[in-house]
Amino acid sequence: MKAGLQVPSFITEEKLIELHRQMWVIRYLDEKVDEFFAKGLIHGTTHLCVGQEATAAGACAVLNESDKITSTHRGHGHCIAKGADPARMMAELFGRETGYCKGKGGSMHIADLDKGNLGANGIVGGGIPIAVGAALTSKMKNLGYVVVCFFGDGATNEGSFHEALNLASIWRLPVVFFCENNQYGMSGSVKEMFNIEHIATRAASYGIPGKVIDGNDLLEVINTTHEAVERARGGEGPTLIEAKTYRYKGHSKSDAKKYRTREEEMDWRKNRDPIDRFARVLEEAGIASKEQLEEIRVSAFKEIEDAVKFAEQSPMPALESLLDDVYI
Amino acid sequence: MREISYLEAVREAMTQKMLESDDVFIMGEDIGVYGGAFGVTRGMIEQFGPERVRITPISECGITGAAVGAALTGMRPILELQFSDFITIATDQIVNQAAKIRYMYGGKGNVPMVVRTPAGSGTGAAAQHSQSLEAWMAHIPGLKVVQPSTAYDAKGLLIAAIEDNNPVIFYEHKLLYRTSGPVPEQMYSIPLGKADIKREGTDVTVIATAVMVHKALEAAVELEKEGISIEIVDPRTLVPLDEETIVSSVKKTGRVVVVHEAVKRGGFGGEIAAMIAESEAFDYLDAPVQRLGGLPVPIPYNPELEKHAIPQVKDIIRSVKATLNRA
Ligand SMILES: Cc1ncc(C[n+]2csc(CCOP(=O)(O)OP(=O)(O)O)c2C)c(N)n1
């Protein structure tokens, strides 16, 4: 890397630019979803990851297509980062037949098994043992893939988190537990819900490494996840990564955000935004100019506009499909 | 044909499927040298090793989720949950995950897992280790629910369950583990959704599951002495349910008693009764459908009380006579 950035050797300058673009795609998709919700064009509910783009993009950047992830209710970023087509995601949110789940899953259930995304999840903590099971398959069949399991801070107070970490540890499974600590589980702040400063310290209970990182620093996410993935691939077992980040939007729609201050939110937005920060890194390292960065931003915006068009033009699922795809 | 026990039949089904395919493996608490709480897996860890007979911590939610993940990624796990009561701890993974994934993902992805679990009362283990919760699982679209009553059925149905791409809840009745019957040595499968007529008869159809099949058979012997001939239909699988066999038996006899061990209120017997009422058999009924089920109490510890909480042979006899006495 000519710019001397500390990243794994397979992360080229082109890849860094692509990741920057990916973060914009994630942001614009969720901004658009937010807008459509406000207008009543998308129904149900959705959980936006605006502000958390670096964790998804950075963690998935070190994975192969055969590696797998499990995601959460706040999973649009993970899906995109693991290779999902935003158009088909948007179609799913519109409930269309062309969506990832043929309009039957919606925001919280998008899965893309072809790309190794084992699915978002509407149950807090629900995906964590599933990731462990997928890692078990990898080990038992000697498939060599690693599973990155995303979850929030809130999920780490579920029993499934503890059970899953213990299982993965005693069986030395190739899984990376990736906690996106965005400071809140719905309205419960980590200050109230934990009596420990860092969730990663819980790793000690299971005899695995725990790492605390700045989740808004793309390069730090890449490097830490890479190390954990290598460790997992090498048969040394799981790691728990806690990435400190922040969600700009409310928990889901109709969240008045009464549990936090405007100042706090503005501080994260102005001073720690993951996309702005990485744009500066690229510029300062001479990898991309201001103009190039602007082009990237515009092209991401355009991609989401096209995704919306695709979704809008897609057919609704046929009523007869109601009973399809359920066994029996 | 040689006779083996229900327990050995279950073990043989697993063993044969594991020999056939590396994708099949077992997970569960104490299933290693201990052989599981009831000895079903005894000897299997020696045969297959700890990779494929995988002893787990006491983490029902975690291990069930791990089975879901393994199944979703190409394995065919058989999960032994030590007592069916503990399904309540694993419900998220079974109900919200395993049962939903294929549909939720628009038809992509299968969860071919079997949850084998001992159910039912009669061991004095009381309220938290004696329940029959099959109606809960039968209510959930996406799950298949199996309740074998004989060693022959246990082997054939378990093989079918392992081969099935659905998540299957396979209830083994604890009191049946030691019962024996003729079981072929070779592999065979019994299609899920095919009822079995355990005894032919002409006067009343008794639809019975699990242990109740045996109680109904005992009742049949008594009733025969009085010249009453009952036909015993064992659905074997609640989901899918073999409506055809049930309906044709009811058309033949015109009278029905449905009997299960689970609490009658909200039980699967209500579903069978309603299905009959909605079917063409309704016009053939000479009396209302009778339902017999457990009392709405947690299973008590005291053996007499325990027995009274669920239908007995005399209750079946009484119900059969009651239905015959209706005009
Ligand atoms: C088992 C369960 N409990 C509660 C909920 C409702 N719920 C959905 S998301 C959420 C907050 C989760 O917080 P966290 O794990 O920190 O993730 P974040 O939303 O911050 O990304 C809650 C309480 C749920 N979906 N599932």
Side-chain angles (χ1 to χ4, degrees):
Chain A
M1 173 118 352
K2 73 172 176 211
L5 298 179
Q6 289 298 310
V7 282
S9 57
F10 61 89
I11 303 277
T12 59
E13 293 186 2
E14 292 71 45
K15 177 78 178 174
L16 289 178
I17 289 178
E18 186 193 315
L19 288 172
H20 184 64
R21 182 176 187 281
Q22 189 177 78
M23 289 200 287
W24 276 121
V25 171
I26 294 171
R27 175 156 303 181
Y28 282 132
L29 182 121
D30 268 6
E31 295 277 14
K32 198 48 125 183
V33 171
D34 200 25
E35 180 193 325
F36 285 164
F37 255 114
K39 289 187 185 155
L41 293 173
I42 297 181
H43 79 158
T45 189
T46 192
H47 309 80
L48 307 174
C49 65
V50 180
Q52 303 182 199
E53 296 83 0
T55 45
C60 293
V62 302
L63 301 181
N64 307 322
E65 197 160 289
S66 61
D67 291 326
K68 302 193 189 299
I69 64 162
T70 58
S71 175
T72 70
H73 58 287
R74 199 176 301 289
H76 297 169
H78 310 142
C79 290
I80 292 172
K82 197 67 180 72
D85 172 3
R88 289 191 60 200
M89 289 175 64
M90 197 61 96
E92 188 57 38
L93 296 171
F94 275 66
R96 305 301 163 110
E97 191 185 275
T98 53
Y100 271 103
C101 313
K102 299 183 191 157
K104 288 171 174 169
S107 167
M108 287 195 289
H109 304 298
I110 294 175
D112 186 2
L113 300 182
D114 299 334
K115 294 274 166 62
N117 175 0
L118 300 178
N121 213 306
I123 305 294
V124 171
I128 312 178
I130 294 179
V132 171
L136 178 61
T137 298
S138 178
K139 183 166 181 183
M140 289 182 77
K141 292 188 136 175
N142 215 354
L143 297 175
Y145 69 72
V146 169
V147 187
V148 172
C149 170
F150 291 103
F151 48 87
D153 42 282
T156 68
N157 283 332
E158 288 280 1
S160 58
F161 166 82
H162 298 276
E163 296 183 21
L165 261 71
N166 189 53
L167 274 183
S169 172
I170 62 174
W171 291 346
R172 276 188 171 237
L173 297 181
V175 56
V176 175
F177 296 104
F178 196 108
C179 176
E180 295 175 304
N181 177 358
N182 63 12
Q183 316 301 321
Y184 296 93
M186 214 176 245
S187 67
S189 86
V190 289
K191 293 188 190 78
E192 295 162 323
M193 298 299 156
F194 296 83
N195 215 355
I196 48 176
E197 196 187 345
H198 302 300
I199 291 168
T201 57
R202 289 186 169 178
S205 310
Y206 305 105
I208 63 173
K211 307 262 160 144
V212 181
I213 61 169
D214 180 345
N216 282 11
D217 178 342
L218 184 78
L219 296 180
E220 193 170 344
V221 175
I222 288 175
N223 286 318
T224 311
T225 314
H226 177 61
E227 200 184 310
V229 165
E230 287 298 290
R231 186 183 137 81
R233 233 189 276 286
E236 290 171 80
T239 302
L240 171 61
I241 298 172
E242 176 190 5
K244 311 270 189 192
T245 182
Y246 200 78
R247 66 164 150 77
Y248 295 165
K249 308 276 178 183
H251 166 68
S252 62
K253 68 175 177 182
S254 71
D255 172 0
K257 296 188 273 184
K258 285 196 174 131
Y259 47 85
R260 70 190 201 193
T261 62
R262 177 103 187 115
E263 290 70 45
E264 176 186 291
E265 195 182 315
M266 288 323 288
D267 176 46
W268 280 88
R269 277 186 188 266
K270 284 212 185 92
N271 304 319
R272 297 186 237 183
D273 184 81
I275 305 184
D276 286 354
R277 275 169 68 178
F278 193 58
R280 274 200 302 278
V281 169
L282 290 178
E283 221 187 307
E284 278 163 20
I287 295 172
S289 68
K290 249 201 174 52
E291 294 70 37
Q292 282 168 321
L293 291 171
E294 181 58 12
E295 269 172 39
I296 290 167
R297 189 187 66 76
V298 171
S299 86
F301 187 79
K302 173 89 179 23
E303 183 173 350
I304 295 304
E305 298 278 289
D306 291 345
V308 171
K309 275 193 211 114
F310 172 79
E312 282 172 341
Q313 287 162 11
S314 290
M316 288 291 178
L319 223 48
E320 297 79 67
S321 79
L322 178 62
L323 294 178
D324 288 354
D325 300 326
V326 62
Y327 283 113
I328 301 136
Chain B
M1 201 184 297
R2 75 193 169 136
E3 296 212 345
I4 59 171
S5 69
Y6 182 100
L7 180 152
E8 289 164 327
V10 170
R11 183 191 299 143
E12 191 166 275
M14 292 192 287
T15 303
Q16 290 180 350
K17 289 308 286 183
M18 284 174 73
L19 287 171
E20 186 189 63
S21 164
D22 284 345
D23 292 348
V24 181
F25 72 103
I26 325 178
M27 283 204 289
E29 296 160 18
D30 309 297
I31 63 169
V33 287
Y34 196 94
F38 294 88
V40 179
T41 58
R42 200 160 291 151
M44 291 187 74
I45 194 159
E46 288 81 358
Q47 186 176 359
F48 293 104
E51 271 286 295
R52 299 184 67 205
V53 177
R54 189 166 280 269
I55 311 162
T56 70
I58 306 163
S59 309
E60 288 77 13
C61 166
I63 62 180
T64 308
V68 175
L72 181 61
T73 48
M75 303 297 285
R76 302 190 90 83
I78 304 169
L79 178 71
E80 176 171 308
L81 283 184
Q82 205 156 73
F83 283 85
S84 72
D85 311 72
F86 307 161
I87 280 186
T88 56
I89 305 169
T91 12
D92 169 46
Q93 289 298 334
I94 294 174
V95 174
N96 294 322
Q97 317 291 345
K100 307 281 193 285
I101 280 178
R102 182 168 133 100
Y103 189 79
M104 237 164 39
Y105 293 1
K108 279 234 168 177
N110 294 319
V111 184
M113 65 189 273
V114 181
V115 179
R116 281 185 41 243
T117 188
S121 65
T123 63
Q128 294 174 334
H129 291 73
S130 303
Q131 297 169 87
S132 300
L133 299 175
E134 63 273 5
W136 284 29
M137 296 295 115
H139 183 73
I140 306 300
L143 297 178
K144 284 190 177 177
V145 179
V146 182
Q147 277 189 294
S149 67
T150 65
Y152 178 86
D153 289 353
K155 180 172 173 184
L157 290 168
L158 183 52
I159 286 171
I162 296 166
E163 288 169 355
D164 203 290
N165 278 334
N166 286 282
V168 179
I169 313 297
F170 194 87
Y171 287 107
E172 296 162 12
H173 201 290
K174 295 166 213 136
L175 294 188
L176 296 176
Y177 276 140
R178 307 284 162 194
T179 62
S180 293
V183 177
E185 273 170 53
Q186 75 274 18
M187 263 213 258
Y188 61 94
S189 71
I190 296 172
L192 306 185
K194 191 81 205 75
D196 186 39
I197 298 183
K198 289 283 191 278
R199 181 190 168 108
E200 304 235 6
T202 50
D203 298 328
V204 177
T205 296
V206 175
I207 300 159
T209 53
V211 160
M212 292 302 148
V213 171
H214 301 271
K215 295 207 153 116
L217 285 165
E218 277 182 56
V221 173
E222 294 301 311
L223 288 162
E224 193 160 44
K225 292 179 192 156
E226 301 181 40
I228 301 167
S229 155
I230 66 171
E231 174 149 301
I232 302 172
V233 180
D234 174 3
R236 299 196 288 200
T237 63
L238 301 186
V239 185
L241 183 66
D242 183 353
E243 300 186 4
E244 212 179 296
T245 301
I246 294 172
V247 166
S248 73
S249 174
V250 175
K251 279 163 74 176
K252 172 170 138 193
T253 62
R255 295 174 196 269
V256 196
V257 174
V258 186
V259 52
H260 55 59
E261 176 174 334
V263 171
K264 177 173 158 184
R265 180 182 67 209
F268 201 75
E271 177 63 28
I272 294 178
M275 182 278 285
I276 293 168
E278 286 170 349
S279 78
E280 64 197 71
F282 182 74
D283 299 324
Y284 294 75
L285 283 179
D286 297 319
V289 176
Q290 301 272 316
R291 278 189 300 152
L292 261 181
L295 300 178
V297 290
I299 297 294
Y301 170 64
N302 173 287
E304 272 311 299
L305 294 182
E306 181 179 27
K307 215 164 25 181
H308 277 78
I310 66 162
Q312 300 299 327
V313 176
K314 64 175 179 4
D315 301 314
I316 299 174
I317 293 174
R318 201 183 322 113
S319 266
V320 166
K321 288 185 178 170
T323 189
L324 281 164
N325 287 335
R326 291 290 292 241

